Amino acid sequence: MLLAVPVPAEHESPMYWRREFRGRPDQIRFVRSFAAHLLAAFPALDDVLLVLDELAVNAIQHTRSGEEGGRFTVDISMDVAGVILYVTDQGGSDEPRVRSLAELAEGGRGLLAVDALAVTWSCTGSSKGRTIRATFPARPHAEI
C-alpha cells in the first residue's frame, strides 16, 4: 500500500522554470502570463510582474535580443524564502545601470522600478550576453 504524507511548507523543494522568448514586443504579454500562472499565490506577484516586464522590455530595447531573430530567456526560481527572477539577453554595447533623476527623460525608468521593487538585483555577463537577477522575499519585511 502506498501512503501519501503531506510535506510541511517549510520543507518544500525549490521549484524552477525556464522559458525562451522571441525578442519582440508582442512577447511581453506572454512573459507576464508565464510568471503570473506559475506564481499566482505569491504575495508580491504584482511587484514581480512589474519587474519582469521592465527586464524583458529592456532586453528587447537595449540588447541584441531585440534584433531580427533575437531571443531572451526568463528563469524563475521559487522556494520558501521567495522568488528569484533571471532575464538573460544576447548582450549589447551598453552596461545596464540605474540612471540619476537628472538623466531621466521619456525613458530610463525601468531599472529605477526594479531597484525600488526588488529586495536585491544584480547584473552579470558581458557585451555578449547578460543576466539580470532580481529577488523577492516570500514574507515582506515588517513596516517600521
Side-chain angles (χ1 to χ4, degrees):
M1 181 166 93
L2 182 62
L3 190 61
V5 178
V7 178
E10 64 270 10
H11 298 294
E12 287 182 14
S13 297
M15 301 296 292
Y16 186 85
W17 303 275
R18 170 180 280 174
R19 184 167 171 197
E20 186 175 76
F21 296 89
R22 286 175 267 164
R24 299 190 327 226
D26 66 343
Q27 296 294 293
I28 300 302
R29 66 186 171 114
F30 298 120
V31 170
R32 288 179 63 90
S33 293
F34 170 63
H37 174 75
L38 297 171
L39 304 173
F42 190 69
L45 179 61
D46 290 339
D47 291 348
V48 170
L49 294 178
L50 181 57
V51 166
L52 185 55
D53 187 83
E54 292 293 344
L55 296 178
V57 167
N58 283 353
I60 293 169
Q61 289 183 347
H62 302 294
T63 76
R64 284 188 293 282
S65 292
E67 295 176 0
E68 184 68 32
R71 298 182 129 6
F72 64 97
T73 304
V74 172
D75 295 90
I76 301 172
S77 174
M78 183 173 69
D79 62 19
V80 296
V83 168
I84 304 173
L85 300 177
Y86 303 86
V87 176
T88 302
D89 62 47
Q90 293 179 304
S93 58
D94 293 333
E95 184 75 25
R97 66 182 176 87
V98 176
R99 296 182 187 182
S100 72
L101 292 176
E103 294 179 89
L104 297 178
E106 190 164 318
R109 294 177 187 90
L111 287 180
L112 274 175
V114 172
D115 195 52
L117 296 172
V119 171
T120 63
W121 73 276
S122 61
C123 177
T124 58
S126 68
S127 61
K128 295 182 181 188
R130 290 190 181 89
T131 299
I132 306 282
R133 175 185 187 265
T135 62
F136 302 85
R139 294 175 192 92
H141 297 296
E143 293 185 20
I144 299 175

